[in-house]
Amino acid sequence: MSVVEQYAQAHILTDADRPDQDDGGAIPVVLRYDPERDPSTVCVALPARDGRASRSREWTFPRALLEQGLRAPAGSGEVRVWPCGRVQAVVEFHSPQGCSVVQFENKALIRFLRRTHQAAPAAQPVAH
């Protein structure tokens, strides 16, 4: 099993998090999946508010939450995901420092999820 890492562009919807850039708030985001660490979770790393990758903020949450959120609102607590129209999804990250709301193109998230399933398929329920 190998680590899946994918870079994607996302748009910050939270004013406090929006970097001072001329590209409408588009930021590089790292989507990561390490099946040896935990095959049921994915990680999303956002650059720090000052844009320095060395100080990125990361959230780790269930892969199933990301999958469910592409179809219908899902999650509670630190991470929530919901569809936004036909081609986008919104991911809301909560921390003690506040809330970051990020919009992704569905196809980037679907491509990432497809790659995670190739690396390590979802666990199948055990038959009794």
Side-chain angles (χ1 to χ4, degrees):
M1 291 190 274
S2 61
V3 173
V4 173
E5 189 167 277
Q6 178 177 311
Y7 294 85
Q9 289 289 314
H11 292 274
I12 297 288
L13 302 179
T14 315
D15 286 338
D17 289 332
R18 194 168 283 152
D20 295 329
Q21 298 174 348
D22 295 331
D23 58 5
I27 60 166
V29 176
V30 179
L31 307 169
R32 189 176 305 116
Y33 175 70
D34 185 349
E36 290 187 18
R37 182 172 176 222
D38 184 348
S40 66
T41 64
V42 295
C43 177
V44 175
L46 302 176
R49 290 183 179 165
D50 61 8
R52 296 196 327 218
S54 63
R55 295 177 42 201
S56 67
R57 297 173 290 156
E58 293 189 359
W59 281 267
T60 300
F61 55 96
R63 175 171 63 172
L65 173 62
L66 187 57
E67 294 168 332
Q68 293 165 3
L70 291 174
R71 294 184 301 276
S76 62
E78 290 186 356
V79 180
R80 298 174 186 149
V81 183
W82 65 90
C84 180
R86 299 174 85 190
V87 297
Q88 296 174 326
V90 172
V91 183
E92 186 177 294
F93 301 102
H94 294 265
S95 72
Q97 292 76 34
C99 176
S100 296
V101 181
V102 183
Q103 187 174 43
F104 290 89
E105 294 290 325
N106 281 351
K107 60 184 167 182
L109 297 177
I110 291 168
R111 184 178 327 116
F112 172 67
L113 287 168
R114 198 172 288 139
R115 291 179 64 208
T116 70
H117 282 284
Q118 290 170 349
Q124 299 298 318
V126 178
H128 289 87

